[in-house]
Amino acid sequence: MSLSGDMEEYAEVPTVVPAANFDAVADAHALRAAMKGFGTDEQVIIDILCQRSNAQRQAITEAYKKEFGRDLIADLKSELGGNFENVIIGLMLPTDEYCAKQLYKAMKGIGTSDDVLVEILCSRPYDEIVQIAAAYEKLYGSSLEADIQGDTSGPFQRLLVMALQGLRDNYAYDPAKAEEQAQILYNAGEGTVGTDENAFVEILGHAGQRHAYLIFQEYKKISGKTIEQAMESEMSGELLHGLLAMVKTVHNRPAYFAERLEAAMKGLGTDDDALIRIIVSRCEIDLANIKFEYERMHGKTLLSAVKGETSGDYRNALLALIGSA
């Protein structure tokens, strides 16, 4: 889709694909043997679970129950620990359930991890968000929208609720309207004293990808700045992060996740939760694209970066999901 400029069109490439000649019963037996008795053979667990698709892992869980009358996730939890356990258990959950659990964790701790809400809700297509919201309600018996409303406020809350309600019109594509909206955004931010944050939320929350891209192009013509530059100078905090996530995923979704991975590893210490969440939730969607963007942006491979930040079985599991450099 080459609109005037550089909205990048790409095919999503996963790093984890369904295994050929898959045999759920054989995998179930191999996993049981790896965990039975004294000690655990972690490498077998990595070799099997990090190289099967999510649907295949669900089939292994079924076969394990049938063959041994045991719950595979419960057995894995009792044998594994720490970040390694978090990777493996994350892989065992259906993706929508995994994301729902991450959202719950982000809201139910002390304070709210706004960046997790943004990363999950502002960067995904609406059909995925619908599945995550349904999984959330099934798991916790409360509506995701109600919980978000109880945990957030102001324009940021509106942004997240709009993402949940699927108000983006992905088919609208109107150059004249885009020009008009770019002018409204300019007047709401750079063109005035103070910032009308609601205007940004309403316009960007409704714009589908192609239309949003046109708005960004028009904005640059009016202002001489990119919309990201303008927002960074006009806003701050979680609303800025939410709007930036929307803008960045319009331009290039894998680059957005590459940036999030770098933020998780940069500086002192590692944000293991973010590292695990992104690699586990994207490995069957577009982790190969994310790897490409990461290397382009940071001049090093994602594989080498993760290798340098992690160790042991945890490292081996993540590297298996990332695949070759």
Side-chain angles (χ1 to χ4, degrees), residues 122 154-164 201 205 239 242-243 246:
C122 298
F156 180 60
Q157 178 193 82
R158 174 81 180 128
L159 188 69
L160 296 178
V161 169
M162 287 173 84
L164 278 173
V201 170
L239 179 65
L243 288 167
M246 285 185 151

Side-chain angles (χ1 to χ4, degrees), residues 39-54:
T40 304
D41 189 340
E42 287 86 0
Q43 198 52 52
V44 169
I45 293 172
I46 292 170
D47 289 344
I48 295 175
L49 298 179
C50 295
Q51 289 170 15
R52 303 289 183 272
S53 68
N54 198 287

Side-chain angles (χ1 to χ4, degrees), residues 9-10 19 47 54 64 66 70 77-78 93 104 142 172 184 199 201 203 251 254 265 300 317:
E9 176 85 334
Y10 59 90
D47 289 344
N54 198 287
Y64 194 89
K66 223 180 206 158
R70 299 176 68 94
K77 277 183 173 168
S78 74
L93 297 171
Y104 184 80
S142 61
I184 292 169
V201 170
I203 289 176
H251 281 308
M265 293 186 280
K300 58 188 173 188

Side-chain angles (χ1 to χ4, degrees), residues 96-115:
D96 49 3
E97 202 175 298
Y98 177 70
C99 290
K101 286 196 163 194
Q102 299 294 317
L103 289 169
Y104 184 80
K105 192 168 137 190
M107 288 187 283
K108 293 306 162 197
I110 298 168
T112 301
S113 302
D114 294 322
D115 57 341

Side-chain angles (χ1 to χ4, degrees), residues 5 8 17 58 65 89 92 126 132 141 145 177 182 232 238 261 272 293 311 319:
E8 297 181 40
V17 294
Q58 305 309 316
K65 184 91 179 152
I89 301 304
M92 295 310 296
Y126 181 59
I132 293 167
E145 188 175 322
K177 192 177 177 190
E232 280 170 348
E238 70 269 24
L261 285 168
D272 292 298
E293 294 298 340
S311 61
L319 297 185

Side-chain angles (χ1 to χ4, degrees), residues 17-39:
V17 294
N21 311 317
F22 171 62
D23 182 340
V25 174
D27 282 349
H29 278 268
L31 288 168
R32 183 77 192 111
M35 291 188 279
K36 216 165 139 186
F38 187 70

Side-chain angles (χ1 to χ4, degrees), residues 184-196 200 219 230 234-235:
I184 292 169
L185 291 178
Y186 179 77
N187 296 345
E190 289 184 82
T192 186
V193 178
T195 306
D196 176 3
F200 281 84
Y219 191 92
E234 293 291 322
M235 295 178 221

Side-chain angles (χ1 to χ4, degrees), residues 187-251:
N187 296 345
E190 289 184 82
T192 186
V193 178
T195 306
D196 176 3
E197 294 174 337
N198 292 314
F200 281 84
V201 170
E202 290 303 315
I203 289 176
L204 298 181
H206 280 103
Q209 189 170 15
R210 295 181 66 196
H211 186 71
Y213 189 75
L214 283 179
I215 296 172
F216 304 157
Q217 295 298 99
E218 289 301 328
Y219 191 92
K220 214 167 11 181
K221 286 182 202 163
I222 296 166
S223 159
K225 285 183 182 173
T226 65
I227 192 131
E228 291 99 320
Q229 283 177 303
M231 292 193 311
E232 280 170 348
S233 64
E234 293 291 322
M235 295 178 221
S236 61
E238 70 269 24
L239 179 65
L240 172 66
H241 293 148
L243 288 167
L244 280 177
M246 285 185 151
V247 171
K248 286 171 179 172
T249 52
V250 164
H251 281 308

